[in-house]
Amino acid sequence: MPTTPPPTVAKSAAPPPRSVLRDPAFLRLWAGTTASGLATWALPFVLGLAVLHRDLGAAGLGLVLAARTAGFLAAVAVGGVLADRHSRRAVVLWSALAAAVAAPLLAAGLGRSLVLMTAAAALAGAGQGACRPAFQALTAETVAPGHRQQANAAMTMAVRGSTLAGPALTALLAAFLDVSTLLLGIGLLWLVAALVPGKGTAGATAADPAAAPAPRAGFRAEFLEGIREARRHPWFLAGLAALVAVIALGYSATSVALPLISRDRYGTEWVLAAAMTAYTVGALGGALVIARWRPRSQGWAAFAGLAAYGVAPLSLMLPVHPVVVVAAYAVAGTGIELFNVPWFTATQREVAPEKLARVSSLDFLVSYGLAPVGLAVIAPAIDAFGTTPVLAVCAAACFLVPAAAALVPTARHFTR
């Protein structure tokens, strides 16, 4: 007599790892991001060594770095659209390979052709710019939602560690290697960034093979669609406004004023070096804290951290002991990461997955794009009005604009 077979018990999915640092897929992504960060921060330092060795003039250095920035800004928006249209992993691969190809071209042009170096620098910047929003979206695909804040903290620690270790490691290698070899080493780092990360799966959705592919809109239409998605999130627009104030005014003012004050008030370059190091160390500490801290009002806590940057220009206004300036920069660095990590995590959580790269590209476009504008405006303003009044305005903007952004609806929790 036939019997009914017992029901099949579905196998439960494996529990997520207790720490994202034990996830091999994330570790591969982290390694690629770290390699790209080291390559990004090492290039200006290596080109500076080329000036010291008289292989490149000061005007040529400015032209090459400007070309890299222009390439970055031109490619970051394109990269955002491409990363939403196609595989994020493929965009990382090809953009990092473009930056890798630029390295031997820079070496070939060194001391021979400034035109070739300028074109290669623009290609390197384009590769860097195209991969940034793709890396951001790939993180959301690779890491489960519950671990993304820890993952973003680990990513930002890689960036800050690159800022700290990149120039030091390059200076050490420069004692044994020439500038051309160092440039080829930067290309190898970009190869690691291109080849090591794996394909994201956590946020990916399988397409229905029976469904006909939908016709794609044009590039401009898709970019504008990303802007419309950003406008759906008032907290995101408020955060961008606060970032504009802190980067274009606060960061630019301190970048111009700190070397002057270190020389004229304190009579030493030690204050400049110590303050910048303290900023990076503070940022690393902030990333460690926010990796585990979950404030109840994460948006308000993040904006408070961003506003803390105001203590940096404030310390430069007053005739204080240099230790106070160094401590203020450490506080500013800590606060920046208390903002950045929840900001990235909220963007990955709240923005529609198929539009995440485009919205992230807006973030990078504003962050990187307005820094040169601020630097161009602050220096003439200091010449016209003096250092103290300009620093006072910039400190007030750093405190007040994030405070105003925190009052925007949905800003308290970075959520709709």
Side-chain angles (χ1 to χ4, degrees):
M1 180 177 179
T3 58
T4 304
T8 302
V9 179
K11 293 182 179 181
S12 59
R18 286 178 295 173
S19 169
V20 73
L21 299 179
R22 299 182 183 181
D23 181 0
F26 171 73
L27 290 178
R28 291 177 63 183
L29 179 61
W30 182 88
T33 304
T34 303
S36 71
L38 283 170
T40 297
W41 288 103
L43 181 58
F45 192 83
V46 172
L47 293 175
L49 292 176
V51 174
L52 294 179
H53 295 170
R54 302 186 184 279
D55 293 322
L56 184 65
L61 175 63
L63 180 62
V64 169
L65 292 179
R68 186 179 77 144
T69 301
F72 178 93
L73 294 176
V76 68
V78 177
V81 173
L82 291 178
D84 281 340
R85 278 187 173 191
H86 308 290
S87 162
R88 277 82 185 258
R89 178 65 188 89
V91 174
V92 167
L93 172 65
W94 291 108
S95 57
L97 285 177
V101 169
L105 295 177
L106 283 166
L110 187 65
R112 300 181 184 90
S113 172
L114 183 59
V115 173
L116 177 59
M117 290 194 71
T118 302
L123 179 62
Q128 177 193 347
C131 76
R132 286 296 165 228
F135 266 128
Q136 186 76 357
L138 193 57
T139 301
E141 288 189 359
T142 303
V143 181
H147 293 301
R148 285 178 188 163
Q149 183 152 323
Q150 186 184 34
N152 286 317
M155 289 292 194
T156 198
M157 288 180 66
V159 172
R160 298 302 179 183
S162 301
T163 307
L164 205 59
L169 180 61
T170 305
L172 178 63
L173 293 175
F176 307 97
L177 304 172
D178 59 21
V179 174
S180 295
T181 304
L182 291 174
L183 287 171
L184 294 177
I186 290 174
L188 290 177
L189 286 172
W190 278 113
L191 281 178
V192 172
L195 301 176
V196 169
K199 185 177 180 180
T201 57
T205 56
D208 181 4
R216 304 227 50 125
F219 175 86
R220 179 176 177 274
E222 291 205 357
F223 183 73
L224 293 176
E225 187 179 6
I227 295 177
R228 286 193 293 272
E229 172 65 20
R231 291 173 59 186
R232 291 180 55 241
H233 306 277
W235 60 268
F236 185 84
L237 298 181
L240 281 183
L243 280 172
V244 168
V246 171
I247 293 173
L249 295 177
Y251 182 79
S252 298
T254 54
S255 297
V256 173
L258 179 60
L260 299 176
I261 290 173
S262 180
R263 180 196 66 191
D264 298 339
R265 181 187 298 169
Y266 300 107
T268 176
E269 296 177 355
W270 174 86
V271 178
L272 170 62
M276 297 310 297
T277 302
Y279 178 84
T280 303
V281 172
L284 287 169
L288 281 173
V289 169
I290 202 62
R292 294 188 176 275
W293 183 38
R294 302 293 189 273
R296 298 181 68 177
S297 301
Q298 64 169 339
W300 285 0
F303 281 123
L306 187 61
Y309 193 91
V311 302
L314 190 64
S315 71
L316 298 178
M317 290 173 52
L318 308 173
V320 296
H321 193 277
V323 173
V324 176
V325 176
V326 174
Y329 269 78
V331 170
T334 302
I336 284 292
E337 294 310 329
L338 294 181
F339 173 82
N340 279 341
V341 174
W343 168 261
F344 291 144
T345 305
T347 303
Q348 293 162 350
R349 182 187 65 242
E350 298 295 322
V351 172
E354 69 278 7
K355 301 173 186 175
L356 176 57
R358 278 170 284 178
V359 174
S360 296
S361 72
L362 293 175
D363 182 7
F364 291 115
L365 195 61
V366 170
S367 301
Y368 285 84
L370 291 178
V373 176
L375 289 171
V377 171
I378 291 296
I382 289 178
D383 290 338
F385 304 105
T387 303
T388 299
V390 171
L391 287 173
V393 171
C394 293
C398 289
F399 290 131
L400 296 177
V401 177
L407 301 178
V408 170
T410 74
R412 179 172 181 174
H413 299 290
F414 278 172
T415 179
R416 297 182 72 230

